[in-house]
Amino acid sequence: MTLTQLVADYGYLAVFVGALFEGETVLLLAGFAAHQGYLSFPWIVLIAFCGGTLGDQLWFFMGRRYGTALLKRFPQLTPATQQVNRLMLRFQVGVIIGVRFMYGLRIAGPIAMGMSDVSAWRFIMFNLIGAALWALAVSGTGYLFGQTLHWLFADIKRYEEGVLLVIIGVGVMVGLWRRWGRRKH
């Protein structure tokens, strides 16, 4: 089985699972794969929207129900939740919509919001808007990256599997670096 076949077979599942958590790398790669014709761009956006919405809703309700216990169990989340709380005091709607774009706050943000006095309906409404913007912006960036490469290298089809491998490798390294960097702090 080739890499391109794996992307075609499991790409949508990877988008959904990635969108549940901090899935920017997966979503960028999926946008690139859509440009190359392996995945459908509208389906990527829809699946990322659903996964991103569901993930943040789950974290929100986990924060609402188990927030204090989660912070005791995972004390490394405390600084991020404190940062979200400070931001929420001044920019509640903007934070709810934009938290998924803020580095290091994708999981801690909804947990903190769940622990706050934000109503569940208010969070759901603005979370839907944020998920739609995020899914379109991040996957669109991956798609545009593919278009840019196409302009730069007219016969990219000859090299696309190698380019895809390099992009996946870089994405994995960035993801590992982000996780490793958080653990050190």
Side-chain angles (χ1 to χ4, degrees), residues 56-68:
D56 282 5
Q57 288 304 140
L58 289 173
W59 293 121
F60 176 84
F61 287 115
M62 291 287 288
R64 179 73 29 114
R65 176 84 168 109
Y66 305 107
T68 305

Side-chain angles (χ1 to χ4, degrees), residues 19 21 24 27 45-57 92-102 106 110 113 121-139:
F21 301 101
E24 288 80 10
L27 199 48
V45 173
L46 179 64
I47 291 168
F49 167 75
C50 292
T53 300
L54 178 63
D56 282 5
Q57 288 304 140
Q92 190 179 77
V93 171
V95 173
I96 295 171
I97 291 172
V99 74
R100 68 191 69 245
F101 293 98
M102 299 175 194
R106 178 71 193 280
M113 290 175 213
W121 287 111
R122 182 175 178 87
F123 181 80
I124 290 168
M125 181 177 61
F126 291 114
N127 184 39
L128 288 168
I129 294 168
L133 293 171
W134 175 79
L136 189 58
V138 178
S139 59

Side-chain angles (χ1 to χ4, degrees), residues 35-51:
H35 180 270
Q36 300 307 310
Y38 297 113
L39 300 173
S40 164
F41 184 76
W43 278 108
I44 290 169
V45 173
L46 179 64
I47 291 168
F49 167 75
C50 292

